[in-house]
Each structure stands twice: as C-alpha cells, then as structure tokens.
Amino acid sequence: MIFITAKFRVRPEHADRWPEITDEFTRATRGEPGCLWFDWSRSVDRPDEYVLVEAFRDGEAGAAHVQSEHFRKAQQALPGYLAETPRIVNAEVAQHDWSLLGELAVPEDRA
C-alpha cells in the first residue's frame, strides 16, 4: 500500500473550521475505490496543526487520487487557508491494513 502522513499548519483564524473546510475533499477521497483510509487528527500541542494519515491500495490508486477532480479542486482551494506548505512522508509499505501494536496488547478478555 501507499502510506502517507502529512502535517498541515492552518492559519489560526481557520484552525477551528479546518474539518468543515476539508469535508468535501475528505468525503470524496474516502469514496475512492483504492482509498484504504483518510483520517485527520488535530495536534494536542499546536491547535493550528492537523495531521492527515492516508493510505491507498497501491500506486495506481494513489495516482488516481492525485488525478481526481476533487484533488484538483483541493489544490486550488486549500492553500489559501494554510500558514505554510504541508510537510509529507510518503512510503510504499508491504501490508494492506494496520498491524497490531504488540507492545501495548490488550488481553483478549478485555477486547
């Protein structure tokens, strides 16, 4: 799978509305057949920073994502809300879902 994590520093006046601002893009991306997940989180240390964790089935699905109409619309609309260019980590990973974090395993009788 293609695994991507990106940090978005949002201009402070837009930070509280970021989930609303990105809602259409988020819903459209989650609806792509090759999208495994597309999840936003807000930093607990920096209220103007959001982290996007996304994954696509393979390179073909990732390419379809960046060629989609909703991606093009986001490229035009989202930079106006940002304080800086987002930072990204993009890697191909030889798995298809989340692995269990064995170091913090929850006993079966509590799961």
Side-chain angles (χ1 to χ4, degrees):
M1 76 174 148
I2 305 299
F3 184 82
I4 301 163
T5 303
K7 287 188 174 191
F8 290 74
R9 273 211 40 242
V10 179
R11 291 177 29 207
E13 65 270 25
H14 302 298
D16 288 339
R17 291 187 45 248
W18 187 249
E20 175 189 336
I21 292 165
T22 59
D23 183 61
E24 183 179 333
F25 176 57
T26 298
R27 284 186 290 111
T29 301
R30 287 177 178 165
E32 294 174 22
C35 179
L36 300 175
W37 58 80
F38 193 86
D39 298 321
W40 293 97
S41 296
R42 192 173 191 178
S43 171
V44 296
D45 297 323
R46 295 190 68 167
D48 66 335
E49 184 174 82
Y50 284 82
V51 175
L52 175 60
V53 178
E54 56 186 304
F56 296 90
R57 181 186 63 243
D58 53 26
E60 186 176 299
H65 170 63
V66 299
Q67 294 168 6
S68 69
E69 179 62 27
H70 55 271
F71 189 88
R72 283 191 288 278
K73 286 172 67 176
Q75 283 181 296
Q76 296 299 312
L78 297 184
Y81 298 98
L82 298 175
E84 64 185 26
T85 300
R87 291 163 287 145
I88 188 170
V89 174
N90 182 339
E92 192 166 335
V93 180
Q95 61 190 71
H96 300 287
D97 202 352
W98 292 93
S99 299
L100 295 178
L101 179 59
E103 294 84 358
L104 295 176
V106 174
E108 288 294 319
D109 62 345
R110 287 193 25 224

